[in-house]
Amino acid sequence: MENNIYVHYLISELENYIIDNKKKIESIIKNKNRISVEESVYIFDKFSVSLKKATDLIKNSADISDIETLKTVSIISSETVAWVMFTLPNVESTIPVFLENLIIGNRHVIDSLGELLLEIDEFIENPSKLRTSSNELYQMINEVAMFFGHLSSMMKKGTVEN
């Protein structure tokens, strides 16, 4: 029961984080012809933190017995991945980053996000599967979160050095 309270807190925190940052990022994208390096750093940082918050939720899902809570974790995780996946193309064309910097392993980050989205959507239909697959899913999302965090920090270093 105590873990469920913590998970509901994490769900609420992630929802609020995404709502706040989605508005800010949409306003950056709409009001600019070209996104600055600082704005790109900000956006990638928000992507990274959002995905990291989703990994915190998924990491805790192995101990959740309530199916509705597992379904909610799956839905908010799916919405987080979808937000990043569908926002990135709007940012990608205007960011000062080389295309090869958007590759994880041998795949473009959009492909990795798409695979994650399909995977998480299966858990919305069958939430109890999340408990047994949470470690693998955690690692996949964490890899993308770290990717955006690394990209953000590399771009930040680039602005300091110039």
Side-chain angles (χ1 to χ4, degrees), residues 21-32:
N21 289 294
K22 190 176 186 181
K23 289 177 187 173
K24 292 174 188 171
I25 291 172
E26 283 175 1
S27 122
I28 290 171
I29 293 169
K30 285 181 187 174
N31 298 326
K32 301 281 181 166

Side-chain angles (χ1 to χ4, degrees), residues 7-18:
V7 167
H8 284 283
Y9 165 77
L10 292 175
I11 290 168
S12 174
E13 184 182 353
L14 178 55
E15 281 177 324
N16 291 329
Y17 189 84
I18 288 181

Side-chain angles (χ1 to χ4, degrees), residues 43-130:
I43 291 168
F44 289 144
D45 184 58
K46 298 308 174 196
F47 285 172
S48 177
V49 171
S50 297
L51 292 166
K52 202 73 174 139
K53 288 179 180 291
T55 63
D56 290 344
L57 264 174
I58 289 166
K59 191 168 33 174
N60 283 285
S61 63
D63 301 326
I64 299 171
S65 56
D66 180 49
I67 295 298
E68 284 306 308
T69 302
L70 286 170
K71 187 172 186 170
T72 302
V73 167
S74 300
I75 290 169
I76 189 67
S77 298
S78 174
E79 289 173 355
T80 302
V81 170
W83 171 61
V84 172
M85 182 177 155
F86 292 117
T87 303
L88 183 60
N90 295 319
V91 180
E92 184 180 16
S93 62
T94 61
I95 55 174
V97 191
F98 295 109
L99 191 56
E100 63 268 11
N101 290 337
L102 297 174
I103 303 295
I104 298 177
N106 293 329
R107 298 178 8 192
H108 191 279
V109 69
I110 295 282
D111 295 331
S112 296
L113 288 164
E115 182 183 321
L116 271 172
L117 194 56
L118 291 172
E119 185 101 10
I120 295 169
D121 284 350
E122 284 183 36
F123 300 124
I124 294 172
E125 298 300 317
N126 190 354
S128 60
K129 278 181 67 178
L130 181 59

